[in-house]
Amino acid sequence: PVPRADIARVKLRAMLNVPEGFPGDRGQGGYGVASPWPWDGAAWSSQDFAEWFPFIQSPDAENDLDRDRMVARARDLARNDGWARGIIESMADATVGAHFSPIPSPNWRVLARNDKRLDSAWAEEFAAAASDEWRLWAGDPGRWCDAARTMTVTQLLRTAFMQLQ
């Protein structure tokens, strides 16, 4: 006698027109019949997924229809809700800070391989001079770091961070 599982597998192959040795054939599927799909989630004959046919599209296309409404709501919250604005400001403070300043620390040991004059004393002098130059440029009252001359470097970085939200 032929086992019922083999009969069910042959009937399913005939119904779906799946050739023998189909790459997805793993024998008995999770539902008691052979599955021609490599993953159970791809099967349309299972009880769980039989009537679930989601439409596939690019992530941009999925968001484009509702993006304008979502952005308008987020901007409205940022303007009119103190709690939401406080959260955004807290995130900007935690990321950029109130006064952004790099901490120059040249690796003088690596640099000394090419030039023996570059030692720890040079590294300290360089770090102090670079910090002084940064403060002059980034916090200049003329705001030369900004093309429109309206913001400091910290304000520019906070604005850039806010665009990511």
Side-chain angles (χ1 to χ4, degrees), residues 102-106 121-135:
I103 302 171
S105 56
W122 170 85
E124 289 176 16
E125 291 173 14
F126 175 84
S131 293
D132 292 342
E133 290 293 328
W134 172 265
R135 276 193 302 278

Side-chain angles (χ1 to χ4, degrees), residues 68-124:
D68 293 341
R69 184 179 319 113
M70 290 186 298
V71 169
R73 288 176 178 171
R75 289 180 181 168
D76 183 63
L77 273 175
R79 275 191 309 268
N80 299 316
D81 188 325
W83 286 97
R85 187 65 190 178
I87 291 169
I88 293 169
E89 290 295 330
S90 295
M91 288 175 56
D93 285 342
T95 306
V96 177
H99 180 72
F100 182 82
S101 181
I103 302 171
S105 56
N107 189 343
W108 63 270
R109 290 180 186 90
V110 174
L111 295 172
R113 293 178 191 165
N114 295 324
D115 189 347
K116 298 299 179 195
R117 297 174 295 168
L118 305 178
D119 57 2
S120 62
W122 170 85
E124 289 176 16

Side-chain angles (χ1 to χ4, degrees), residues 13-158:
R13 283 179 195 264
M15 181 180 75
L16 299 174
N17 195 18
V18 176
E20 187 72 33
F22 185 77
D25 185 17
R26 295 177 291 136
Q28 291 295 98
Y31 302 102
V33 296
S35 174
W37 297 278
W39 297 280
D40 290 336
W44 63 70
S45 62
S46 72
Q47 292 178 355
D48 298 328
F49 304 113
E51 294 184 22
W52 185 19
F53 299 104
F55 182 71
I56 189 165
Q57 55 188 358
S58 73
D60 286 340
E62 289 177 353
N63 291 331
D64 283 348
L65 295 175
D66 301 318
R67 182 192 176 279
D68 293 341
R69 184 179 319 113
M70 290 186 298
V71 169
R73 288 176 178 171
R75 289 180 181 168
D76 183 63
L77 273 175
R79 275 191 309 268
N80 299 316
D81 188 325
W83 286 97
R85 187 65 190 178
I87 291 169
I88 293 169
E89 290 295 330
S90 295
M91 288 175 56
D93 285 342
T95 306
V96 177
H99 180 72
F100 182 82
S101 181
I103 302 171
S105 56
N107 189 343
W108 63 270
R109 290 180 186 90
V110 174
L111 295 172
R113 293 178 191 165
N114 295 324
D115 189 347
K116 298 299 179 195
R117 297 174 295 168
L118 305 178
D119 57 2
S120 62
W122 170 85
E124 289 176 16
E125 291 173 14
F126 175 84
S131 293
D132 292 342
E133 290 293 328
W134 172 265
R135 276 193 302 278
L136 287 173
W137 177 74
D140 185 6
R143 305 215 180 359
W144 290 98
C145 59
D146 183 14
R149 293 201 189 154
T150 58
M151 291 191 250
T152 64
V153 169
T154 302
Q155 292 168 335
L156 288 170
L157 291 173
R158 288 174 69 90

